Amino acid sequence: MHETGGGGGGTMSADPQDYTIIKEGEAEILMRKNEVFYNPSQVDNRDMSIAVLRTFISKRKQEHEAYLLKRTKAATKASEKDSSEPAGEAADESLMNDEEANGECEVSEEAHQDEPCSISKESVKTPEGKGRGELKPARVLEALAASGLRSLRYAREVEGIGQVVAVDNDKVSVEACKRNIKFNGSVACSKVEPHLADARVFMLTHPKEFDVVDLDPYGAPSVFLDSAVQSVVDGGMLMCTATDMAVLCGSSGEVCYSKYGSYPSRGKYCHEMALRILLACIENNSVRYLPGFGPAVHQECSDCGKKFNMGGPIWSAPIHDQEWVTSILADVKSMQDRYPAYARISAALTNVSEELPDVPLFVSLHSLCATLKCTSPSAVIFRSAVINAGYRISGTHVNPLGLKSDAPMDVIWDIMRCWVKNHPVKAQPPDQPGSVILAKEPVLQANFARAVASLSKAQAKKVTRFLPNPERHWGPKLRAGRKITSKHISLLGPQALNGTVDHEDEEPTAKRQKAQEPSTNS
């Protein structure tokens, strides 16, 4: 039996031996089969969320201190101005009127009327709705808590956290969350508060109550966004995770449009486009285009002469705050032993820190060469040609072969035309896109001499930027409550079965045979 202290303490009603204990960071949870959803591959996501949350709390404190200092200086300046006026009834009346008008200065009873007013942080009155001196600990809402692991890690690992509200509409999940809270001791019991409720209703009935709202649903977060943004305080933070990447990356354009109001495009940049689609959906003031309508463009590509594939709308502004990224990366490196997925999140943050912030999407060098049917130049040579042409270029955090550049596509193709002249290709049918592109003479004469900035700082230091998955079948697992059958081997791996296969859940052989028989007309 496991003893706990603090609120809700006492002896646990369940024996930990009946469960599998999963430890992540400083939190531990009790799991049994597929009772409650737990995704081990999301440790990267949870570590990143903790890193972002730590930086948010730090910057929130800095902003509050700067705000108090500014108001203190303003009140001091006002008092000095008042004290410089001639003493007398007129000056006293002016001081009283000023106090009644702004309520910023309090005169000590012991002070004489002809002495300047002394100002301190305690004597500064803050207007209604703008904070009252002391900064309260941040309140966090995990809208879809499941086992409560994320909430427990927030409570136990992030300093400056006040209350963490864990909400789920599944009774089994809420019971598991309560069990895990008790299992993690007094700190968790005092900070984490579980609720059985529909997340959307809960957020709508608690407007502007949380400094941080965390959305991590099983699938699309779109149905929770409207209520989530209303539950965050002004100046707060919304953390959102989308796991329906197949939809966002173009497997079903109609489904993506119905959920996010945007059509995806299937390209090498699909993962970045997925992120930009989600950001465009979160931004409530964004313009919504009807299907088939959008900004006017030419009907045919000026480079290859083919029709365009239309996608979007997407968020085309920068998706990263470089100052934040630098702060988060420094924090992660200073306490790397506290992040189970340190190697992966530090690599991702390093990539983001060196990525061009103002260039949406990217090109793939291999895709360019596949279009032209030519051998590929090395990334260093291609980067050098772009830099020598006077443009910027960088890698991207979503694809090791992706290259971001502010060079227009006609410059990119001119560089490739010059490359093909030095590395000839076999003749292709004239109607092929590559043949049309190569038929044009390059306007720009590319310079492939090695440029100084052709390698990023991480590449120059040989820092690992992309890490392989830690094991096979690394990815989202089954939704909680689903029975594991043999058809899930490709998703979970054969070791996940090990006697847990429910053969009754499998499709009967007779039923499959009947479905395969040709239908006959009676």
Side-chain angles (χ1 to χ4, degrees), residues 211-288:
D211 300 287
V212 179
V213 172
D214 192 318
L215 290 177
D216 183 15
Y218 189 97
S222 54
V223 295
F224 303 99
L225 292 177
D226 183 64
S227 52
V229 296
Q230 297 184 51
S231 187
V232 184
V233 300
D234 294 336
M237 181 172 65
L238 172 64
M239 297 194 289
C240 184
T241 302
T243 56
D244 56 337
M245 290 302 294
V247 171
L248 284 167
C249 289
S251 66
S252 179
E254 292 76 12
V255 174
C256 185
Y257 184 82
S258 67
K259 290 182 176 181
Y260 298 98
S262 179
Y263 277 103
S265 180
R266 300 187 70 174
K268 296 295 184 181
Y269 50 77
C270 62
H271 292 94
E272 181 181 327
M273 189 174 188
L275 175 59
R276 293 182 178 275
I277 287 175
L278 178 58
L279 289 174
C281 184
I282 294 174
E283 190 214 8
N284 294 337
N285 296 326
S286 62
V287 178
R288 303 293 183 187

Side-chain angles (χ1 to χ4, degrees), residues 48-88:
M48 189 71 77
S49 297
I50 288 173
V52 171
L53 189 52
R54 282 183 174 137
T55 301
F56 170 77
I57 290 176
S58 174
K59 289 188 177 293
R60 178 173 175 262
K61 182 179 179 181
Q62 293 173 9
E63 290 176 359
H64 184 75
E65 291 174 349
Y67 170 77
L68 289 180
L69 181 61
K70 181 179 179 181
R71 292 193 62 81
T72 302
K73 288 181 178 179
T76 304
K77 185 176 181 180
S79 66
E80 291 176 352
K81 181 179 179 182
D82 291 339
S83 63
S84 63
E85 295 180 359

Side-chain angles (χ1 to χ4, degrees), residues 364-381:
S364 170
L365 187 55
H366 287 190
S367 294
L368 296 176
C369 295
T371 300
L372 302 180
K373 304 293 191 297
C374 68
T375 58
S376 176
S378 67
V380 174
I381 291 177

